[in-house]
Amino acid sequence: MGSNMAECHPVGFRWVMEAKKRGAKIIHVDPRFTRTSAMASLHVPIRPGSDIAFLGGLIRYVIENERYFAEYVRAFTNAATLIDEGFRDTEDLDGLFQGWNEEEGRYDLSTWQYEGVVGVVPAAGHKELVAEPGAGRSRPAARKAIAAATDPTLQHPRCVFQILRRHFARYTPEMVESICGTPQALFLQVAEALCENSGRERTSAFCYSVGWTQHSVGVQYIRAAAILQLLLGNVGRPGGGILALRGHASIQGSTDIPTLYDLLPGYLPMPHADHARTLDEYVRNNQSGSGWWSEFPKYVVSLLKAWYGDAATKENDFGFAWLPRLTGDHSHFVTVTDMAAGRVKGYFVMGQNPVVGSPHGSLQRKGLRSAEWVVVRDLALTETATFWYEGPEFESGELRPEDVRTEVFFFPAAAHTEKAGSFTNTQRLLQWREAAVAPPGDARSELWFVYHLGRLLKGLYADSNDPRDEGFRALTWSYSTEGPHDEPRAEEVLAEINGWRVADRSPVGSFRELRADGSTAAGCWIYSGVYEDGVNRAARRKPAREQSWVAPEWGWAWPANRRLLYNRASADPTGRPWSERKAYVWWDEAQRRWVGYDTPDFLEDRPPDYRPPPDAEGLATIGGDAPFLMQADGKGWLFAPSGLIDGPLPTHYEPQESPIRNPLYGQQCNPARQVFRRRDNPYHRAFADPRYPCVLTTFRLTEHHTAGGMSRWLSWLAELQPQLFCEVSPELAREAGLRNGGWATVRTARGAIDCRVLVTRRIPALRVGGRAIHQVALPYHWGWVGRVRGDATNDLLSFVADPNVHIMEAKALTCSIEPGRSRDRRRAATTRLAPPLHDAAPASRDLPGVGQRVSQPSQEPGEGVPHG
Amino acid sequence: MAKGFFTDTSICIGCKACEVACKSWNQLPDDGFVFTGNSYDNTGHLGASTWRHVSFVEREAPSGDGISWLLLSDVCKHCRRAACLEACPTGAIVRTGFDSVFIQPDVCNGCGYCVAACPFGVVDRREDDGRAWKCTLCYDRLQDGMEPACAKACPTDSIRFGDLDELQRIARARVEALHAQGVEEARLYGVDQPGTEGLNAFFLLLDEPEVYNLPPDPVAPAKQAAATWASVAAGALCLGALALGAALWGARGGEG
Amino acid sequence: MRSDGRNLAPDRAVLAGEGAQQRVRDPGAAFPVPQRLFDPELPRERGGRPTYHGLPLLKEPVWLPTIAVYFYAGGVSGCSAALAAAIDLAGGAALERLGARVRWLAVAGGIASTAILVHDLGRPTRFLHMLRVFRPTSPMSVGAWLLAGFGGAATAAAILGPRRLPGRLAAWSAGLLGLPLATYTAALVANTAVPVWQESRRALPLLFAASAASGTASLLQLLDLDRREARAVRVLAIGGKAAELVCGRAVEREAGRVERVARPLHRGASGALWKAAKILTAASLALDLAPVRGHGPRRAAGALGTLASLALRFSVFTQGRASARDPRAVSAQQRASGR
């Protein structure tokens, strides 16, 4: 679900085919019948943006028919935990959870907590922007989480299990059919298949990708799958779990060693100006008293030692003051709107093409035009590099290159074959690459660029007395270089990421060896061990036939070369595998340790019968029967008391632009979603906008890669899919007058694009809410630079995002379609509004009193007033 | 030892890695950017510069329940009785030690006869180059003990390369397995094919050959040429007789 | 500027791939299927055997239309040489002038044939490669050798003249070689995958033989002929043209065993040319049979007959293209019972 794996991860898909060959049933739930569906045992159509209803329907089915894995649920999840008395569910409040703060435009989480426990720290700490109880304002709950009140019979009305049941009670198969357009019979087939293939002897896996994440409720989609898989007992078991198929090569690495503004390496929270003035404050506000996250101070101190070396001492808080601080939301959309307002002077765009790859191209370009300088690093000129003289605004005559004041620098980048380094892909696997050839001409790797930039900047700041520059001067930046271009040695960076003991620079073997006293340094704690004993384990390539089926000696997976996370859950509370067939990791009484096919995801020597004493601290709080040790209570969270901005349970909300009213709640959309109320970011009506009657979804093709910057220059790929096209059903083609092979114009309030037409039965109209809803599907790989060119699909999208991770809503919106190329070409929203509607106050996306916290410019801290 | 391809379309995901790997390895040019509107097939057919071509057929599922998408990676069949080889007047087309059919580009003079002879429409002549081209079964790779580029790149092993008899054994087992699973339409194409005496590159299909643009019962023309040549002889003889008759009649015509 | 489509930097790449040797001026020109077939306005035929998006299954023959002229020239040339040999054997002094004329006609035809064939090669400078091997399975190989031998013999026959033995031997050789030269081209087209050609493979050689005779005779009819020459030519003409009509019918019947396969004979440009050939041949024959005398009618018959023979060859050529383009012809032919 939420993935077109055969087309977007074809090499990974070979393992799905292998499973199919061995009898596995492959079910593909997708609005379109794709090449994945062609290989699946069953294709199930679903309306884009309705997956939570579908998953909720499955959850309800599992609960009502008692198909959940009872022992697993009781032992390993927080099903029995009681929730605070003040909690009210969306069923009670017409789509809201208890705690919506009108003034602040967000939830107060205090009623979502475990009864009597305040401030449970979620795995990997608080997101600073959440301002949850305990985040920056009060002390964490320490070990109380593990002693939270429970009802082992799962009957108490306030236990998680019953709350869950009530929450999804209305997600019946009929409701699923009505919301998703999926015929009941098909839905029930899926439900039965899932239940039949879960339990002791069998497991089922979910694979998802951006079809789930690119929604304004994206994170809750994942949560819904997590709840389902926990109920079925599939998490931490071979053949089970949830596989996050990442969006492109090494983007997993991009979040591990992050290029994300709100994370430090290893998913440590970025310090916030208000809540992390000192290291102590930061640690207090993010450390958990129980569970593995109690170890967190070791990781942040080791990180600081890696970055600041000898300059980081206990006395100066290990240089914590030198780290930049968040003052608000600095995510992509906010940055772009800040740029458009002239508040961002400079912009580095490296290996990314936001003008095509990110939503709302005209606003992206407006932002770029307002910056003072932009640096683009890429293999060839991309649309982001040529924004100052090419693009729809120039073609229409609205703008001339002379009008653009931005200074643009372009640096050619080395290709992946021309530089050494690692890829970290889906499955958390690090694989090292050597450079096969030197990059041509002036092309250089990112490592070279960043290293030398840093070196030069350090040089410029060398004599500065400004306290603000101390961090720069303290930064360790001593990698040796080689070759005619002084290329930094990538393995040295890997060694630093892995970590070492400061005294003798000997590499650490795992994050267990990291300390909070400054005696260790590690650039990314989850990667510790990749360079154990000075051996680059990411470079290992032992063939499968020479090792066990888990293949631990091919590359290296974080953490600790663990291939399956939470694998303690593959054994029952007594440490015995749930079944021989699904044995993976188990307790060996003779050796008094956990053993198995993989690195156990548990304290090696913690016996299954260990129960933490009342005064236990840190790792001692982890019980022998608590596999989910990143959580404060060691349990899989069916109900999430903290960590999420938009609710402890997934709820079906419609996308920002939908064809129908939300049939379940008055609250149409995710109340916490991130919106941008701007003239240049017009939204359609909440639902059933007559100007934009079709559902629009975007997709990817195997033949091209993301924004097409690499694939549209390669003629062998360009010829496979030369033109932007839309997929429409024969019915829609008839109604709209479209011809297969002809041209069409697809419009939203943000813009219009021209595309060829592919009439196909693979994208049927769905019966939703009693009427037929047509779908239009567009791939987004085209732009105006390259051997083959076309309009940028993402010009149609608006700025609206998931509040937890700021990911755009790209998979479900509405549009209109008509035959022929647009006469009225590319009326960019930045200069003209969408055609107005002349009826009375349009229906709202939110209940009265629900207004989103609109993200504010980064320079101004505090909560916001909506933009004009 | 005869080598060949077994292309199992039941596990083809239509990714076109084979097309790209082939072009990349053989350093072939692209042959134009054309949006055909024919499902995801913007290549059309095999050609002088396209030696692997993935076909896409969207149709009703045979069970009547929903749709299905047939995917096939087409290639030169390297027929055991090759029409192109038998047609080639320069001897450019030869059979290699791997039992594959190979066109020597330094010999071919572009007469184009192979193009008309091929019952699968595989080989073609490039107009700006003048010569005929087709898949070489990666002859250069085979000689170094490597498998062809397409087989190497195929992520699901839909394209399998190896000894022909081994491949046929695997293929027969696969068809049986599919039948047992209820996939009745699965069939082999090119294993028992009298007209070509079997294909070194054969297929497992999930529908009739015409659906995939394959001929149902192709034949190497030379196999049925006896009658043709007999006619040629008869025609020649009759012509000769007529010429003689004309000469005789003309010569006698003085008197009457 | 369009590159060569190979994505290879010339200063860094080693062009060792099998396809690297392809000379590329315009990558798009080699698109495997005629691009006009993707026009959304193009009517799509429904029903019948399944096809792959209506696209052709076979490749159309790549030969230029001049190849049809070659069929004609080869036929005329071969028949001329046969007639020259026949005249040498049985024609006596009365037909000596005619004999000389046809000897030179054979040479001219031979030269024209060679020129057309060489011009039709993708690599004309490599025409001698035709003589690298002799492959009996390939009518083109047979034809190349035939033409080579014939060319030499016919030229020798013309130059050496009929009076002395070497010239006469040359003429007989040319005559002997000329007979299959005139008919083998039918085998050339029939030994392909093209349905209409393959299906009519028994009748086509006879048709070509007949057309060779009628074509030669028609050309000769355009010349000044004395009474005996005219008699000889008339035999050839009537025999050839009558046979052409009969054999044409035979081709229709043979190809028509599968209705779809015979379509090019009845539709389109090829059908029109086929019909024209029949009408012209019949008219020419009628003039030959008519009890009229003099140069005028004879020349008219010759003109009509020449056009007819050319039309016939062009029809066969265009039939091939149309038939190769029709995927349903291939499947219909192969699915018909009893091939």
Side-chain angles (χ1 to χ4, degrees), chain A residues 6-7 10-11 13-14 17 32-35 38-39 699 701-703 715-723 725 727 740 756-758 760-762 787-788, chain B residues 9-16 19-20 23-24 28-35 37-40 42-43 56 58 60 67-69 71 154-157:
Chain A
E7 296 199 38
V11 179
F13 195 74
R14 84 172 298 154
M17 297 301 286
R32 303 164 51 234
F33 186 100
T34 68
R35 284 174 270 198
M39 291 295 114
F699 67 93
L701 296 161
T702 316
E703 295 88 333
S715 61
W716 299 321
L717 291 175
E719 66 172 335
L720 299 177
Q721 290 287 10
Q723 293 212 284
F725 63 93
E727 292 189 339
N740 186 56
R756 302 297 292 270
V757 176
L758 194 65
T760 167
R761 286 216 205 89
R762 294 181 291 102
R787 277 224 168 87
V788 291
Chain B
T9 68
S10 69
I11 54 176
C12 173
I13 58 175
C15 69
K16 306 180 191 172
E19 279 195 52
V20 179
K23 292 233 179 185
S24 173
L28 287 162
D30 71 80
D31 34 34
F33 307 133
V34 180
F35 178 79
N38 289 338
S39 193
Y40 281 3
N42 293 308
T43 304
F56 292 79
E58 300 174 26
E60 294 285 328
I67 54 178
S68 79
W69 208 352
L71 308 165
C154 179
T156 56
D157 270 349

Side-chain angles (χ1 to χ4, degrees), chain A residues 209-276:
Chain A
S209 190
V210 297
W212 267 4
T213 61
Q214 290 181 349
H215 292 275
S216 51
V217 279
V219 170
Q220 295 293 353
Y221 276 45
I222 320 308
R223 274 278 300 141
I227 291 170
L228 185 58
Q229 288 292 66
L230 283 171
L231 287 174
L232 292 168
N234 280 325
V235 183
R237 302 185 59 211
I242 303 172
L243 182 61
L245 299 165
R246 303 300 305 254
H248 62 79
S250 212
I251 193 165
Q252 178 65 48
S254 291
T255 50
D256 298 339
I257 313 262
T259 53
L260 299 179
Y261 80 97
D262 58 350
L263 293 179
L264 290 175
Y267 301 97
L268 307 179
M270 185 69 88
H272 192 283
D274 293 339
H275 313 312

Side-chain angles (χ1 to χ4, degrees), chain A residues 103-164:
Chain A
E103 275 159 30
E104 299 190 357
R106 58 207 196 129
Y107 277 116
D108 170 355
L109 277 64
S110 35
T111 56
W112 303 356
Q113 302 305 302
Y114 291 166
E115 186 184 72
V117 178
V118 173
V120 177
V121 180
H126 291 291
K127 288 274 184 296
E128 292 298 338
L129 300 174
V130 176
E132 299 166 347
R137 295 211 186 120
S138 54
R139 298 195 143 266
R143 37 224 167 297
K144 279 219 195 139
I146 55 172
T150 63
D151 172 21
T153 68
L154 304 185
Q155 296 304 313
H156 192 291
R158 274 191 292 114
C159 80
V160 164
F161 189 78
Q162 292 301 328
I163 290 174
L164 190 64

Side-chain angles (χ1 to χ4, degrees), chain A residues 193-505:
Chain A
L194 205 48
C195 292
E196 267 167 26
N197 289 288
S198 305
R200 277 181 189 266
E201 297 292 330
R202 303 192 71 80
T203 52
S204 298
F206 273 78
C207 298
Y208 77 90
S209 190
V210 297
W212 267 4
T213 61
Q214 290 181 349
H215 292 275
S216 51
V217 279
V219 170
Q220 295 293 353
Y221 276 45
I222 320 308
R223 274 278 300 141
I227 291 170
L228 185 58
Q229 288 292 66
L230 283 171
L231 287 174
L232 292 168
N234 280 325
V235 183
R237 302 185 59 211
I242 303 172
L243 182 61
L245 299 165
R246 303 300 305 254
H248 62 79
S250 212
I251 193 165
Q252 178 65 48
S254 291
T255 50
D256 298 339
I257 313 262
T259 53
L260 299 179
Y261 80 97
D262 58 350
L263 293 179
L264 290 175
Y267 301 97
L268 307 179
M270 185 69 88
H272 192 283
D274 293 339
H275 313 312
R277 277 163 284 239
T278 63
L279 179 61
D280 199 48
E281 188 182 3
Y282 170 75
V283 165
R284 261 185 300 117
N285 290 332
N286 283 290
Q287 181 183 18
S288 174
S290 55
W292 197 277
W293 201 240
S294 54
E295 296 277 282
F296 151 71
K298 304 178 179 175
Y299 309 143
V300 65
V301 170
S302 298
L303 175 66
L304 292 168
K305 284 300 286 184
W307 283 355
Y308 299 116
D310 295 332
T313 64
K314 197 147 177 32
E315 288 68 46
N316 66 9
D317 246 7
F318 296 107
F320 184 72
W322 297 327
L323 287 181
R325 298 288 193 277
L326 300 178
T327 53
D329 181 347
H330 307 269
S331 63
H332 175 68
F333 286 163
V334 174
T335 305
V336 172
T337 49
D338 274 358
M339 277 168 67
R343 288 194 207 93
V344 175
K345 306 262 184 280
Y347 204 38
F348 282 87
V349 184
M350 309 211 269
Q352 183 149 349
N353 192 1
V355 161
V356 174
S358 293
H360 203 344
S362 65
L363 186 48
Q364 298 280 345
R365 295 188 288 275
K366 183 180 184 189
L368 290 170
R369 288 196 298 273
S370 315
E372 281 184 15
W373 53 268
V374 172
V375 172
V376 178
R377 271 185 49 86
D378 216 304
L379 302 175
L381 290 177
T382 60
E383 290 78 2
T384 301
T386 62
F387 76 90
W388 57 277
Y389 64 92
E390 270 191 348
E393 291 82 15
F394 300 98
E395 201 183 311
S396 68
E398 269 169 59
L399 285 177
R400 304 165 307 161
E402 305 88 272
D403 303 329
V404 180
R405 310 292 300 271
T406 319
E407 193 172 3
V408 181
F409 301 86
F410 180 79
F411 290 86
H416 70 93
T417 44
E418 298 163 349
K419 54 191 179 183
S422 64
F423 276 72
T424 307
N425 291 332
T426 286
Q427 192 201 343
R428 296 168 280 106
L429 190 65
L430 279 77
Q431 294 178 99
W432 191 258
R433 300 283 203 275
E434 302 293 348
V437 290
D442 289 334
R444 299 283 183 274
S445 66
E446 276 65 52
L447 188 57
W448 182 96
F449 185 85
V450 173
Y451 168 72
H452 287 286
L453 181 64
R455 183 181 57 75
L456 292 169
L457 287 172
K458 273 179 74 76
L460 290 174
Y461 289 122
D463 297 324
S464 167
N465 289 321
D466 192 336
R468 188 175 130 150
D469 301 331
E470 270 177 38
F472 240 106
R473 295 166 58 223
L475 205 58
T476 59
W477 207 248
S478 54
Y479 307 101
S480 64
T481 61
E482 60 185 344
H485 303 308
D486 293 325
E487 179 77 19
R489 289 198 167 79
E491 267 206 27
E492 288 185 20
V493 181
L494 186 71
E496 185 183 51
I497 287 172
N498 175 79
W500 54 61
R501 282 166 275 267
V502 173
D504 59 3
R505 283 254 172 156

Side-chain angles (χ1 to χ4, degrees), chain B residues 26-27 30 41 46 49 56 85-87 90 105 107-108 110-111 113 121 128-129 210 217 231 253-254, chain C residues 2 6 17 19 22-23 25 52-53 59 63 122-123 126 129 132 135 137-138 188 202 228 231 334-335:
Chain B
N26 292 301
Q27 298 176 327
D30 71 80
D41 178 3
L46 294 167
S49 303
F56 292 79
L85 192 155
E86 295 186 327
T90 61
V107 177
C108 174
C111 74
Y113 199 32
D128 46 7
D129 174 271
E210 293 95 310
D217 191 9
S231 261
Chain C
R2 184 76 158 88
R6 284 196 174 89
Q22 288 186 5
R23 195 164 56 202
R25 292 220 180 83
Y52 180 71
H53 303 283
K59 293 278 186 285
W63 303 313
R123 287 285 174 105
R126 294 185 179 181
H129 286 199
R132 280 178 86 248
R135 182 159 277 161
T137 55
S138 168
L188 181 73
R202 287 179 184 84
R228 291 213 194 96
R231 274 168 64 95
Q334 293 176 10
R335 292 238 178 232

